[in-house]
Amino acid sequence: MSGCGCFYWNRVTDVAVPDIDSFSLPSPIPEWPPGHGFATGSINLGELEVREITKFEFIWGSDIKNRRKGVNFFKPVDIPDGYFCLGHYSQSDEKPLRGFLLVAREVKKTISPALVQPTDYTLVWCPDDWTEDNNVHGHSHGHGYFWLPIAPEGYKALGFIVTNKPAKPDLNEIRCVREDLTTTCEPHCILLNKHSKIADSLFTVWKTRPCHRGMHEKSVPVGTFFCSCIWSHGEDLNIHCLKNLNDNINSMPNLDQIHALINHYGPTIYFHPDEIYLPSSVSWFFEKEALLHKKGGSKGEWIDPSGSSLPKGERNDGEYWIDLPKDETAKKIKKGDLKSAKVYVHVKPALGGSFTDIVMWIFCPFNGPGCIKIGIMNYPLTRVGQHVGDWEHVSLRVSNFTGELWNVYFSQHSGGVWMDASGLEFIEGNKPIVYSSRNGHANYPHPGEFLQGSANLRIGIRNSAARSNHALDSSKDYEIVAAEYLGEGVVNEPCWLQFMRKWGPTTVHDSRAEVTRILNRLPETLRCSAQNIFDKLPNELYGEDGPTGPKEKSSWFGDEKC
């Protein structure tokens, strides 16, 4: 699966070191309140202790002359005494340098050591003129050489080594990890994809992530990349990631530290200037006479503002749902109440306790209809996309090594996107800005128009996001509703969080007919393409179907959908 191919790069006489911009947050990170293991610089995984290295030395780049189109490779520097490298780091030129690599040391002696040297290296990829003579004499032509450490039996390699000379790396350059302290990882984003000019093969470099991700999973990413010229999807990788076997997840923030993190990083959410359907608090929604309906019942029942009168637990069996009153009050409720609005915060371990996810849920009493965009034409809809009760969220992923904000997840209808902090807009220091789309409340890192469909054909559902005076400051207006890892009684979950049924009724009508009427106005050549795109959009877009609450979402216990 490793295999060596021959690959031609633009020649340079020596390795040229490009001028690489690095990213740092706009403001310094504060000193966090005291605690146990959070933001102490290291995390104990059981037999291993790991530290996060963010300072790198450039090794080689795939296209130094043509910046912003190349991929660069780095080795960690300033590794503390007693710690060992597990692999090298790779990143494209499209954004400023920002990444991490974990280095490890043994903290618990066992019969079989946790860390060992590789027995050898396999050359995974090399320049077109690589020969044994070159290797012996160590001549350098400014090429990249990719090496897979060969782990002893019972051990796994966790990353690759890159050199700019054909000589094999020293065996002391890296460590392999005992297999039971590791778990599987997968490629998830291609960094480099090149055809050889000599050999009929493809050399590809991917980012990696753990195969198993979620609140209860133990997989810890190392920050390394995967590369191969013969790997096929579905095959196991020849590198692994780490596993956190420490039952005491003391790397997570305590309650005081959680409040400090939210105060420091809590985003400001801007709603569109023409937004009609603004958020509110859950209690305001109940106080304004949202009603609980039961299957077979003739009328809805009043809901206590705390949600204590709602049926709790079990599952979404279709027996209960929430709806608006059938009078003029419904129009007022649909508009929400920004003054009462807050974000509802769920704090949970991520990536084996190496990160903390601060998930901020936003509730809107009503989700408005969508708008079809075909080329430069916009066609407002009357029913498609609308429903009672709308839950969207934003997740802040914070490093448990330092307390630094690393990524932000923006939920967008049935999916979403992770954005590195280097691609965010900030306000008041290190607080990200979130733009909520008009009517649909999908979240975006920048203002503009975003298509749910085909951007190339400019056909789909339009999402418009812009800054306005309608804003929610989550660093001030928030309520922590869950942090299971803190233990029972530290955070009391509100009653309404246990309501597993739908926050809006299911209304049966032919919403697709509204879309079809618009598509039938198009020229026949365009109509077929547009129909294919809209047929692939989620069914939930067409049905007036209220959503389930936060705890029923797959991301409550699992990882975010991307």
Side-chain angles (χ1 to χ4, degrees):
M1 196 168 89
S2 51
C4 174
C6 291
F7 187 42
Y8 175 79
W9 299 105
N10 292 332
R11 288 189 178 277
V12 288
T13 55
D14 287 305
V15 178
V17 179
D19 183 17
I20 299 173
D21 295 328
S22 297
F23 172 81
S24 59
L25 292 172
S27 297
I29 298 175
E31 183 176 337
W32 306 112
H36 293 97
F38 176 72
T40 59
S42 65
I43 295 178
N44 187 306
L45 303 182
E47 291 189 34
L48 291 175
E49 182 178 86
V50 291
R51 296 187 75 91
E52 182 185 77
I53 302 296
T54 57
K55 188 175 180 181
F56 303 114
E57 177 185 316
F58 174 82
I59 303 171
W60 179 79
S62 67
D63 198 344
I64 296 172
K65 294 181 179 179
N66 192 5
R67 296 298 310 279
R68 302 191 68 80
K69 291 187 178 180
V71 176
N72 296 323
F73 296 86
F74 305 87
K75 64 184 294 184
V77 296
D78 294 345
I79 298 176
D81 291 342
Y83 287 82
F84 294 96
C85 174
L86 302 173
H88 286 178
Y89 175 73
S90 177
Q91 182 181 304
S92 73
D93 268 338
E94 293 179 342
K95 60 183 182 180
L97 175 61
R98 187 175 191 250
F100 72 88
L101 284 170
L102 298 190
V103 294
R105 72 180 180 98
E106 292 187 47
V107 290
K108 182 180 178 181
K109 295 294 183 181
T110 58
I111 296 175
S112 299
L115 299 171
V116 296
Q117 290 183 356
T119 57
D120 200 358
Y121 292 96
T122 295
L123 185 62
V124 178
W125 202 267
C126 60
D128 60 298
D129 62 348
W130 185 86
T131 65
E132 287 295 333
D133 288 339
N134 283 350
N135 191 26
V136 172
H137 295 99
H139 297 310
S140 171
H141 295 292
H143 293 283
Y145 299 80
F146 294 77
W147 306 90
L148 172 68
I150 304 302
E153 185 177 354
Y155 289 81
K156 291 289 182 180
L158 273 64
F160 292 79
I161 291 286
V162 182
T163 63
N164 48 43
K165 296 181 180 180
K168 283 184 181 181
D170 191 290
L171 293 178
N172 196 41
E173 182 83 11
I174 197 171
R175 290 294 186 271
C176 301
V177 180
R178 205 174 69 233
E179 187 171 3
D180 63 304
L181 305 180
T182 72
T183 185
T184 55
C185 61
E186 64 185 17
H188 77 107
C189 179
I190 292 178
L191 290 169
L192 184 65
N193 211 352
K194 292 278 189 178
H195 278 282
S196 168
K197 293 183 182 293
I198 305 297
D200 185 20
S201 59
L202 186 69
F203 177 64
T204 308
V205 179
W206 292 265
K207 292 182 180 179
T208 61
R209 65 183 181 186
C211 293
H212 307 290
R213 304 178 304 279
M215 187 167 79
H216 299 302
E217 299 294 343
K218 301 296 185 181
S219 306
V220 176
V222 182
T224 55
F225 62 88
F226 170 70
C227 64
S228 177
C229 52
I230 59 173
W231 180 80
S232 299
H233 286 283
E235 292 181 352
D236 292 335
L237 301 196
N238 49 19
I239 62 170
H240 275 206
C241 62
L242 288 168
K243 184 189 294 184
N244 191 346
L245 297 177
N246 190 344
D247 294 331
N248 180 16
I249 312 181
N250 59 6
S251 59
M252 294 292 292
N254 60 30
L255 193 57
D256 289 339
Q257 291 166 337
I258 290 172
H259 284 293
L261 288 166
I262 296 172
N263 295 155
H264 187 72
Y265 292 124
T268 294
I269 303 157
Y270 284 105
F271 297 88
H272 195 277
D274 299 325
E275 181 62 75
I276 299 172
Y277 308 109
L278 291 165
S280 76
S281 67
V282 170
S283 58
W284 180 91
F285 180 61
F286 293 157
E287 288 169 355
K288 295 301 176 183
E289 299 183 8
L291 300 172
L292 175 67
H293 289 259
K294 184 177 181 180
K295 191 174 181 179
S298 57
K299 62 179 182 178
E301 299 178 359
W302 175 81
I303 303 171
D304 181 86
S306 68
S308 60
S309 57
L310 294 170
K312 299 174 181 61
E314 299 179 7
R315 58 185 177 85
N316 179 26
D317 52 12
E319 290 293 315
Y320 296 91
W321 65 90
I322 296 173
D323 199 0
L324 303 179
K326 305 300 181 183
D327 56 29
E328 290 298 311
T329 308
K331 293 182 180 179
K332 296 180 180 178
I333 298 176
K334 286 181 180 181
K335 293 181 180 180
D337 181 63
L338 190 56
K339 291 181 180 179
S340 73
K342 63 176 77 172
V343 298
Y344 296 99
V345 179
H346 178 209
V347 187
K348 60 178 182 174
L351 301 175
S354 59
F355 287 84
T356 294
D357 277 0
I358 301 174
V359 189
M360 298 182 160
W361 290 92
I362 306 114
F363 175 73
C364 293
F366 195 75
N367 192 93
C371 178
I372 285 181
K373 185 176 182 66
I374 300 176
I376 61 172
M377 301 300 293
N378 296 305
Y379 301 93
L381 301 165
T382 59
R383 284 190 169 185
V384 175
Q386 71 176 14
H387 56 79
V388 174
D390 187 29
W391 283 103
E392 295 287 351
H393 69 282
V394 174
S395 293
L396 311 180
R397 180 157 286 179
V398 175
S399 168
N400 286 346
F401 291 95
T402 60
E404 181 178 359
L405 177 66
W406 208 256
N407 307 94
V408 175
Y409 179 82
F410 296 81
S411 73
Q412 299 164 356
H413 306 303
S414 58
V417 61
W418 278 109
M419 180 68 67
D420 186 88
S422 63
L424 302 176
E425 295 180 20
F426 290 91
I427 190 172
E428 296 179 7
N430 294 332
K431 298 176 182 179
I433 295 177
V434 176
Y435 295 91
S436 178
S437 68
R438 184 186 178 191
N439 285 6
H441 311 126
N443 296 308
Y444 296 92
H446 304 287
E449 286 196 355
F450 306 91
L451 274 185
Q452 188 177 5
S454 172
N456 291 333
L457 295 176
R458 296 191 298 168
I459 298 173
I461 298 295
R462 187 185 75 173
N463 293 275
S464 299
R467 188 181 293 207
S468 74
N469 293 327
H470 306 311
L472 174 60
D473 184 352
S474 67
S475 70
K476 298 176 182 176
D477 299 318
Y478 70 91
E479 178 184 343
I480 301 173
V481 297
E484 293 92 339
Y485 71 91
L486 290 176
E488 190 174 347
V490 178
V491 174
N492 294 315
E493 297 186 5
C495 297
W496 56 261
L497 190 58
Q498 316 308 321
F499 180 66
M500 302 301 179
R501 279 79 172 191
K502 291 186 176 181
W503 286 66
T506 299
T507 304
V508 179
H509 53 69
D510 192 2
S511 294
R512 287 185 181 268
E514 186 178 5
V515 175
T516 301
R517 283 194 297 272
I518 293 172
L519 298 183
N520 285 340
R521 302 179 200 170
L522 303 175
E524 188 171 348
T525 53
L526 184 59
R527 188 188 313 153
C528 183
S529 297
Q531 187 66 61
N532 287 336
I533 292 169
F534 282 97
D535 284 345
K536 294 177 182 177
L537 295 178
N539 287 328
E540 63 192 52
L541 180 70
Y542 296 99
E544 189 172 329
D545 195 5
T548 50
K551 211 166 185 178
E552 272 288 278
K553 309 296 186 187
S554 61
S555 63
W556 185 269
F557 295 105
D559 200 12
E560 302 288 3
K561 290 182 180 179
C562 283

